[in-house]
Amino acid sequence: MGEEDYYLELCDRPVHFEKANPVNCVFFDEANKQVFAVRSGGATGVVVKGPDDRNPISFRMEDKGEVKCIKFSLENKILAVQRTSKTVDFSNFIPDSSQLEYTQECKTKNANILGFCWTSSTEIVFITDQGIEFYQVSPEKRSLKLLKSQNINVNWYMYCPEGAVILLSTTVLGNVLQPFYFRAGTMSKLPKFEIELPAVPKSAKLNLSERDIAMATIYGQLYVLFLRHHSRTSNSAGAEVVLYHLPREGACKKMHILKLNRTGKFALNVVDNLVVVHHQDTETSVIFDIKLRGEFDGTVTFHHPVLPARSIQPYQIPMAGPAPVTSQSPVPCKLYSSSWIVFQPDIIISASQGYLWNLQVKLQPIVSLLPDKGRLMDFLLQRKECKMVILSVCSQMLSESDRATLPVIATVFDKLNHEYKKYLDAEQSYTTALEAGQSRSSPLLKRPARTQAVIDQSDMYTHVLSVFTEKKDTSHKFVIAVLMEYIRSLNQFQITVQHYLHELVIKTLVQHNLFYMLHQFLQYHVLSDSKPLACLLLSLESFYPPAHQLSLDMLKRLSTANDEIVEVLLSKHQVLAALRFIRGIGGHDNISARKFLDAAKQTEDNMLFYTIFRFFEQRNQRLRGNPNFTPGEHCEEHVAFFKQVFGDQALMRPTTF
């Protein structure tokens, strides 16, 4: 398999830590995404590394027994360490504050602490087998204050830092889950819900393992993912992942079922809003996208893998040590190893090798694996880094070797412009709200984020259409059809078409002498009126004489002021056209001779200059009975130039009656 076949990869800069061994214990904190390597209970050192900070935190602590759990508060201000089932020890890492440890015992009698979670830089939750205790930590006083507690029998717990939700497994079977939500010093109890077990339990013992549950944010919504293993009694063809949507308000609801069609050992990650399911037996992974259309049965939507199963791209572990010393070649990493542990959303840790990776999706290989262009676009438009891949797909579908049919091209354009229009509308609403002065009253007013899915006209023009029109091997009929299809799509979504797209159409038509088609496009307003377009038409007059009139008609339709039309024509060196236009509307007695003579001289066409000069001499004669220019007209330099080129005798003589 070539590199282009793998659509999942491990990041190229993993966090490297000392591998787990009898002396070195490794812990992971899912909130700060930090790995703790604790040697001999901390006495010979603790090293903390996270994916973002390349500077590890190192310190020592007294060995007071086996460490069960160790985590920093957010912003690494306070360290909490659990060594017994009753207490948690704290030490401040704030400059100039007391270094002395302080301890908090759980409040519930006879309870055992299962673990703890920091929900902010100074708030912590103890989870015990008998409930949950929410504390405020005061590092200055070196003490904790209980804010709220709740008694409930707990089998195990899970924390989702992105959603600030703790999930507790309760009841004997363990399949009733109780969520709690934490925000700014408050703890809210959300409605509990039941996970449907695959088979009726034979005995009243714990049936739902935390191994089969994950929590993750997908498309901005919090979901509980349940890995339901295949049961012989059920009629399903294999295991499946059931997604329960956990809203802030209201009950948790079963929404999606991901069909795995295989059995065995699985692990889950979420990357770029995709659910990735790893299968250990076949050493492959599949991805699911809950935004793509699935089969809806009235209550839940069933989804199949978006793509065929593939392994994660083979990974070489670089040899440690300074560059000159490491002459050994890198070692291939054992993928899907039984020592791998996955954490949400996208983390894979190999404790035995001492690496933490982020899992990543590669979009380019997916292009050839998803032949249905419409579905491919639906998929790509939801991905974070999609712009260049989408543009390459557009270029590819217009190429000779991979050309798509016009209906397919139209579908792709419509999907792109649907996203583009959504962004333009959001931007418009934001601007309107700003102008209405809502910004002061509404803290919710936020400028819409421009994601990579917004492919605007300049993107399409620069990366796709302008390159495509220059290809020599493509039939001009196809080129024009594609350009018109894109313009049709923009019009359908009521997006103002930029003049450079119309110019591209006109240039293509002119190149192939399709003037009759150009005339029709203008006549039936297929090409929208604009001043730049009118100017372009004027410049075509020498190839296609009717273009002159078409241009003036367009400028008139645009209610362009007459003097502005004259300015436009002069700026394009269309001096005679300007003069003809001004005569046509009867304004030629009031125009500035100097402006026209300046423009004529700039063209460096002496015969044109002669014609314009003679026109104004005749006007002077008609209006004043004398062909000479008055000092107020400031035409002295033009008179001198005329004499120099054509001689004194060419000047008009005053006619006397």
Side-chain angles (χ1 to χ4, degrees):
M1 251 200 257
E3 201 171 296
E4 59 284 350
D5 278 332
Y6 301 102
Y7 52 79
L8 290 168
E9 64 180 351
L10 302 174
C11 66
D12 53 3
R13 292 186 67 194
V15 175
H16 184 37
F17 54 89
E18 192 179 341
K19 52 182 88 159
N21 57 43
V23 186
N24 183 56
C25 292
V26 176
F27 299 89
F28 179 67
D29 167 19
E30 65 270 85
N32 287 322
K33 313 279 183 259
Q34 288 170 325
V35 179
F36 286 74
V38 182
R39 289 178 63 85
S40 342
T44 52
V46 178
V47 179
V48 187
K49 286 186 174 180
D52 303 325
D53 37 75
R54 291 289 156 198
N55 309 326
I57 304 168
S58 301
F59 56 90
R60 289 179 181 218
M61 54 189 195
E62 213 179 309
D63 184 359
K64 295 181 177 174
E66 186 199 342
V67 173
K68 292 180 187 290
C69 184
I70 180 167
K71 293 173 189 176
F72 268 116
S73 71
L74 304 186
E75 296 161 23
N76 302 333
K77 289 202 167 142
I78 306 163
L79 179 74
V81 186
Q82 183 196 347
R83 295 184 177 95
T84 73
S85 59
K86 302 289 183 196
T87 60
V88 177
D89 302 325
F90 295 85
S91 39
N92 297 336
F93 273 67
I94 305 163
D96 310 324
S97 71
S98 164
Q99 300 297 309
L100 289 170
E101 264 194 8
Y102 44 107
T103 301
Q104 178 64 48
E105 194 173 347
C106 67
K107 295 277 193 233
T108 316
K109 271 204 166 66
N110 304 326
N112 294 313
I113 298 174
L114 301 175
F116 61 83
C117 304
W118 286 100
T119 58
S120 79
S121 54
T122 55
E123 288 159 2
I124 194 167
V125 183
F126 289 7
I127 300 96
T128 71
D129 52 5
Q130 292 179 33
I132 189 168
E133 302 174 2
F134 184 36
Y135 290 95
Q136 172 82 47
V137 185
S138 167
E140 301 80 23
K141 296 180 182 163
R142 298 189 16 261
S143 66
L144 280 79
K145 173 186 165 200
L146 184 68
L147 299 174
K148 202 171 181 183
S149 64
Q150 176 91 38
N151 288 341
I152 179 171
N153 283 336
V154 181
N155 303 305
W156 50 261
Y157 75 96
M158 188 166 281
Y159 180 45
C160 175
E162 287 78 20
V165 168
I166 292 180
L167 205 56
L168 306 179
S169 154
T170 69
T171 69
V172 179
L173 294 173
N175 66 327
V176 174
L177 300 181
Q178 173 63 64
F180 288 90
Y181 169 52
F182 297 85
R183 183 160 180 250
T186 60
M187 173 173 103
S188 323
K189 188 177 183 182
L190 303 178
K192 63 183 176 193
F193 61 98
E194 189 173 329
I195 297 280
E196 295 166 32
L197 296 168
V200 180
K202 292 189 180 64
S203 60
K205 67 178 196 317
L206 189 62
N207 260 273
L208 182 68
S209 152
E210 63 189 295
R211 265 206 322 272
D212 296 332
I213 293 284
M215 261 196 297
T217 302
I218 307 170
Y219 292 117
Q221 299 295 317
L222 186 61
Y223 287 90
V224 174
L225 291 78
F226 166 48
L227 182 58
R228 184 156 64 191
H229 291 283
H230 175 63
S231 74
R232 285 175 190 80
T233 53
S234 77
N235 55 6
S236 78
E240 49 195 32
V241 178
V242 186
L243 269 67
Y244 293 83
H245 176 224
L246 189 56
R248 287 268 179 273
E249 263 106 43
C252 184
K253 191 167 167 238
K254 184 160 84 167
M255 299 279 282
H256 301 275
I257 293 181
L258 317 180
K259 306 292 281 178
L260 302 178
N261 297 323
R262 46 177 56 170
T263 57
K265 270 190 174 170
F266 300 96
L268 303 173
N269 276 129
V270 173
V271 185
D272 202 0
N273 292 313
L274 297 166
V275 179
V276 182
V277 184
H278 308 290
H279 187 229
Q280 202 180 1
D281 309 359
T282 57
E283 297 191 357
T284 59
S285 306
V286 286
I287 57 176
F288 293 87
D289 185 351
I290 61 170
K291 270 265 175 93
L292 288 184
R293 207 166 60 235
E295 299 144 25
F296 184 60
D297 72 353
T299 49
V300 296
T301 307
F302 293 86
H303 299 270
H304 293 279
V306 177
L307 303 164
R310 290 280 187 273
S311 159
I312 294 170
Q313 187 174 318
Y315 186 86
Q316 304 282 327
I317 291 184
M319 295 302 288
V325 183
T326 56
S327 53
Q328 305 114 304
S329 54
V331 186
C333 166
K334 169 82 181 88
L335 300 175
Y336 302 91
S337 147
S338 54
S339 72
W340 273 18
I341 310 162
V342 301
F343 290 95
Q344 296 317 317
D346 59 350
I347 286 168
I348 294 175
I349 292 181
S350 168
S352 63
Q353 290 172 308
Y355 280 97
L356 175 152
W357 292 280
N358 293 84
L359 185 65
Q360 296 169 339
V361 173
K362 293 166 65 181
L363 296 182
Q364 198 58 55
I366 294 172
V367 173
S368 50
L369 291 170
L370 247 184
D372 177 339
K373 290 278 188 292
R375 198 166 166 82
L376 174 64
M377 276 300 149
D378 290 338
F379 176 85
L380 290 176
L381 283 166
Q382 302 298 339
R383 308 285 74 83
K384 235 202 226 91
E385 303 286 328
C386 65
K387 178 172 275 187
M388 293 324 288
V389 181
I390 288 175
L391 291 169
S392 78
V393 170
C394 291
S395 294
Q396 188 189 330
M397 72 180 182
L398 301 179
S399 69
E400 277 302 294
S401 53
D402 264 328
R403 182 190 288 186
T405 62
L406 271 177
V408 168
I409 292 167
T411 301
V412 169
F413 286 163
D414 286 348
K415 286 181 187 295
L416 296 182
N417 288 329
H418 178 251
E419 282 298 317
Y420 179 25
K421 176 66 171 165
K422 266 197 324 202
Y423 170 73
L424 290 175
D425 286 349
E427 187 71 32
Q428 181 60 48
S429 309
Y430 170 76
T431 313
T432 312
L434 267 191
E435 284 163 2
Q438 280 183 20
S439 51
R440 288 179 291 282
S441 55
S442 162
L444 300 172
L445 190 65
K446 276 227 298 273
R447 189 181 195 120
R450 183 174 178 144
T451 66
Q452 285 208 8
V454 178
I455 310 272
D456 65 18
Q457 297 175 60
S458 70
D459 294 324
M460 279 302 281
Y461 176 81
T462 309
H463 298 282
V464 182
L465 299 175
S466 63
V467 184
F468 164 62
T469 53
E470 277 159 27
K471 283 192 177 146
K472 297 282 175 278
D473 55 353
T474 312
S475 91
H476 61 265
K477 282 184 182 163
F478 181 61
V479 171
I480 291 160
V482 167
L483 294 176
M484 296 319 294
E485 205 47 73
Y486 186 59
I487 289 172
R488 176 219 43 91
S489 177
L490 291 168
N491 286 328
Q492 186 179 314
F493 287 98
Q494 296 168 326
I495 299 168
T496 310
V497 182
Q498 294 297 321
H499 64 84
Y500 46 75
L501 290 172
H502 288 143
E503 284 175 21
L504 201 55
V505 174
I506 291 176
K507 281 175 180 161
T508 309
L509 292 169
V510 170
Q511 226 170 347
H512 298 283
N513 292 322
L514 297 169
F515 293 110
Y516 68 94
M517 201 183 263
L518 169 60
H519 210 117
Q520 285 180 317
F521 281 173
L522 292 164
Q523 212 170 352
Y524 296 111
H525 303 296
V526 176
L527 302 173
S528 316
D529 295 348
S530 74
K531 283 179 194 162
L533 199 54
C535 293
L536 179 65
L537 286 172
L538 277 176
S539 65
L540 297 176
E541 190 180 359
S542 53
F543 307 101
Y544 183 56
H548 172 77
Q549 195 52 48
L550 289 168
S551 159
L552 291 184
D553 293 345
M554 185 179 285
L555 287 167
K556 290 230 182 72
R557 283 197 300 275
L558 288 164
S559 313
T560 315
N562 291 333
D563 53 353
E564 197 179 332
I565 294 177
V566 172
E567 292 296 339
V568 167
L569 294 168
L570 290 178
S571 70
K572 292 281 173 189
H573 303 306
Q574 306 279 329
V575 188
L576 276 177
L579 207 45
R580 261 189 235 122
F581 171 72
I582 212 82
R583 282 181 71 175
I585 57 166
H588 52 294
D589 286 353
N590 306 317
I591 52 176
S592 151
R594 181 182 168 177
K595 180 187 283 185
F596 277 76
L597 289 167
D598 280 347
K601 193 174 169 193
Q602 275 173 3
T603 63
E604 295 178 0
D605 178 346
N606 288 347
M607 285 322 293
L608 174 68
F609 184 80
Y610 182 91
T611 310
I612 300 294
F613 192 88
R614 181 64 86 224
F615 170 81
F616 283 107
E617 280 189 317
Q618 288 168 343
R619 182 185 78 163
N620 294 345
Q621 176 69 39
R622 187 166 46 79
L623 296 179
R624 293 199 298 272
N626 188 325
N628 297 334
F629 292 93
T630 61
E633 289 180 280
H634 305 294
C635 291
E636 294 78 13
E637 66 171 294
H638 295 303
V639 174
F641 177 72
F642 186 87
K643 285 180 186 170
Q644 180 194 328
V645 178
F646 303 105
D648 281 11
Q649 69 286 359
L651 287 170
M652 231 175 114
R653 300 275 167 256
T655 44
T656 48
F657 298 104

